[in-house]
Amino acid sequence: MDKLIKSAKKALAGHSSLYGLAGFVFGPVTRRRERKEKARKLKIFQENGLDALKAFVDCMEEQKVRYTLAFGSILGAIREHGFIKHDIDIDTAMWIDDFNPGIVSALEKAGFTWVFSHTVDGGKLGREDTFEYHGVRIDIFYFYPAIDKLPYCCDFLWMDHLGPHSRLPRRLEIPVSHERRKVLFEGIEVYVPDNAEAIIVVDKDKEMQYSVVELLFKTDPIADEVKSNMQYFIIDYAKDAAIAML
């Protein structure tokens, strides 16, 4: 069924009215599947999430890596002193200057499986790593010095029409502090940015957890021409992932 839906959407992608009809027909099936998959991930997270966090924290402490929690995990740490009830993954961060390739091997020795890395210009302008521990995914975001006004990290958006191995980098500017402090999280001492309360903003209208400026990445183009005047990036899923513009 998955292949059928994907094939239908691909075939109709250039015909907006027919593409909309395909969404109307297959939408309920897709949404049911997504709800079932989310419930499965939530169950695994509730069983193994705390163990995954503890294993990550122990590894970072052993390697003397200056990590912090990030995004929804910070919100949980400050507001709930633990996981948010609908969490299905763990968000962490570090400054890019604190990254070294030994972190990957150390996590693998600690029982984590490397899933993928996304980078912008080989990691010079953006990076995100994802690992898995007993079915629980942990994302590591990397903060870079400000390009405009604020430090930033990148996330990488999956878009159906870009293909299964494509992501669109997005720059997230966040007024995050270099300093950090420990807080109790489900009985575990973990690090958060020193100004964690200042960067958590819950916007009820937009359902945003952070006061951030979200910009499509526009710097350091690798190719001279961009199809349809859009900046799309394609991911090489090797560990030293590079991004090339279509």
Side-chain angles (χ1 to χ4, degrees):
M1 179 60 75
D2 285 342
K3 290 183 179 179
L4 176 61
I5 293 174
K6 288 180 180 179
S7 296
K9 286 186 174 182
K10 185 175 181 180
L12 299 175
H15 307 278
S16 58
S17 59
L18 294 178
Y19 187 83
L21 178 61
F24 177 78
V25 173
F26 294 117
V29 176
T30 302
R31 286 190 291 272
R32 281 197 300 272
R33 187 187 306 106
E34 288 173 348
R35 286 194 297 268
K36 186 176 180 180
E37 177 63 11
K38 187 172 182 178
R40 184 188 70 83
K41 289 181 179 179
L42 181 60
K43 183 176 184 296
I44 292 173
F45 188 86
Q46 290 171 343
E47 292 173 351
N48 301 326
L50 192 58
D51 289 341
L53 177 60
K54 188 176 187 306
F56 179 84
V57 169
D58 288 346
C59 183
M60 294 298 101
E61 295 284 358
E62 183 179 330
Q63 298 296 312
K64 295 180 171 49
V65 176
R66 289 177 51 83
Y67 80 93
T68 69
L69 297 185
F71 298 104
S73 296
I74 288 185
L75 185 63
I78 301 302
R79 192 181 70 186
E80 310 291 341
H81 306 293
F83 294 118
I84 299 171
K85 63 181 180 179
H86 57 267
D87 272 341
I88 58 173
D89 63 6
I90 298 170
D91 297 322
T92 68
M94 66 183 69
W95 288 84
I96 190 61
D97 290 343
D98 294 318
F99 172 77
N100 69 78
I103 292 173
V104 175
S105 58
L107 284 168
E108 289 177 333
K109 288 179 181 178
F112 289 83
T113 300
W114 175 83
V115 181
F116 50 69
S117 293
H118 300 325
T119 66
V120 177
D121 194 14
K124 294 178 182 178
L125 295 172
R127 182 184 185 98
E128 178 189 349
D129 290 320
T130 297
F131 295 85
E132 189 168 283
Y133 185 90
H134 294 177
V136 174
R137 288 201 169 183
I138 294 187
D139 295 319
I140 305 177
F141 298 90
Y142 297 88
F143 285 107
Y144 290 73
I147 288 178
D148 293 322
K149 295 181 179 180
L150 297 172
Y152 73 92
C153 64
C154 289
D155 64 356
F156 295 78
L157 307 180
W158 179 84
M159 293 186 175
D160 186 52
H161 61 282
L162 292 181
H165 300 302
S166 299
R167 297 292 186 274
L168 182 65
R170 178 173 61 172
R171 188 171 82 227
L172 306 179
E173 293 189 336
I174 301 173
V176 63
S177 170
H178 272 85
E179 301 303 318
R180 57 183 190 147
R181 72 176 197 269
K182 282 186 175 181
V183 299
L184 276 179
F185 189 106
E186 306 272 1
I188 301 173
E189 283 192 331
V190 299
Y191 280 100
V192 298
D194 194 48
N195 65 336
E197 289 84 357
I199 61 177
I200 294 174
V201 176
V202 179
D203 185 326
K204 294 182 180 179
D205 295 327
K206 297 180 181 178
E207 297 183 352
M208 291 288 291
Q209 293 177 352
Y210 275 75
S211 176
V212 300
V213 179
E214 300 182 358
L215 302 171
L216 293 182
F217 221 102
K218 300 176 183 178
T219 57
D220 197 44
I222 300 170
D224 293 328
E225 296 182 3
V226 181
K227 290 183 179 180
S228 303
N229 297 318
M230 294 294 289
Q231 294 190 12
Y232 291 142
F233 298 82
I234 210 163
I235 299 295
D236 175 0
Y237 268 57
K239 286 194 176 182
D240 296 323
I243 295 183
M245 204 173 279
L246 285 176

